[in-house]
Amino acid sequence: RNNDWYALGYEDGLAGRPSGPASGPERYCPTGVAEPELTQYRLGREAGLGAYCTPHNAFELGKGGSRYQGVCNGAVETGFLRAYHQGKQIHDVETQIRRLDTILIVNESERDRLDHSILQRRTQLAEARLGAGVPETLRAELRELEATAEMVEAEIDALRAALREHHAQLGLLRQEAVPGGAAVT
């Protein structure tokens, strides 16, 4: 009962928390909240939602990958959702770029490993030619390694092309996200 109910409501609104038994004023006072405190909480929550339900905040929430819990209302929500989806698109493309970068690193590492193995087999083949003869298994291993290396190289090329496309898409999304085409970081 000694809580600042307006401040608690404001914090909940500003955080975009939905109202309800698990997330409303009841969580601060499980035994129940009296009407004067509840009124102060509601007033604070509405003020907090006023700060939360802005297009700028929506964009930042979407860009950060945060979840929107449907707390804004009416025409305010329409603008909020538009900005949120713009930010979310940027977040999704950035996430995809990070995922592709990781896959590219793995593939480049595999290509390097294959190149090393191919070099070893070629050296073994050259040494075998000087000796008693070249085992067919060595030739087969080399052919298999070279075929695998070609597939990995093709995958690397495809990943690089996808990354270029995603970076271009990200640039366009950033330009479109702000009126006047100012870049968004």
Side-chain angles (χ1 to χ4, degrees):
R1 301 240 179 257
N2 294 328
N3 291 326
D4 181 347
W5 290 100
Y6 183 90
L8 293 173
Y10 185 84
E11 288 173 17
D12 283 353
L14 188 60
R17 291 187 191 102
S19 61
S23 58
E26 295 82 4
R27 78 175 209 261
Y28 299 110
C29 188
T31 59
V33 181
E35 191 55 42
E37 288 88 2
L38 193 54
T39 299
Q40 286 300 303
Y41 175 86
R42 287 180 184 145
L43 288 170
R45 185 171 186 280
E46 286 303 313
L49 284 173
Y52 175 85
C53 294
T54 65
H56 176 75
N57 187 52
F59 178 80
E60 293 301 322
L61 288 169
K63 189 174 168 221
S66 296
R67 201 168 145 242
Y68 170 58
Q69 298 190 45
V71 296
C72 304
N73 296 313
V76 170
E77 186 173 51
T78 301
F80 181 93
L81 286 173
R82 187 178 307 115
Y84 176 80
H85 289 299
Q86 285 179 328
K88 183 82 168 72
Q89 283 180 307
I90 289 173
H91 173 267
D92 292 347
V93 172
E94 288 175 338
T95 300
Q96 185 68 359
I97 287 171
R98 284 190 299 276
R99 189 182 77 73
L100 290 171
D101 277 337
T102 300
I103 294 169
L104 180 62
I105 289 167
V106 169
N107 275 275
E108 287 174 336
S109 176
E110 177 63 9
R111 180 198 53 206
D112 293 346
R113 188 193 66 74
L114 286 166
D115 286 348
H116 180 73
S117 294
I118 289 169
L119 183 60
Q120 282 181 326
R121 296 308 180 280
R122 286 181 180 161
T123 302
Q124 289 170 343
L125 274 173
E127 290 171 355
R129 285 186 187 126
L130 296 174
V134 180
E136 186 54 37
T137 56
L138 195 53
R139 285 189 187 124
E141 284 178 22
L142 180 58
R143 282 191 301 271
E144 187 176 322
L145 285 168
E146 289 172 337
T148 304
E150 284 180 33
M151 288 189 303
V152 169
E153 193 62 43
E155 178 73 15
I156 288 170
D157 291 343
L159 286 166
R160 287 181 177 151
L163 278 165
R164 283 190 300 274
E165 289 176 23
H166 280 77
H167 279 289
Q169 182 184 13
L170 182 59
L172 290 173
L173 288 170
R174 286 179 173 165
Q175 284 181 337
E176 292 170 359
V178 176
V184 175
T185 56

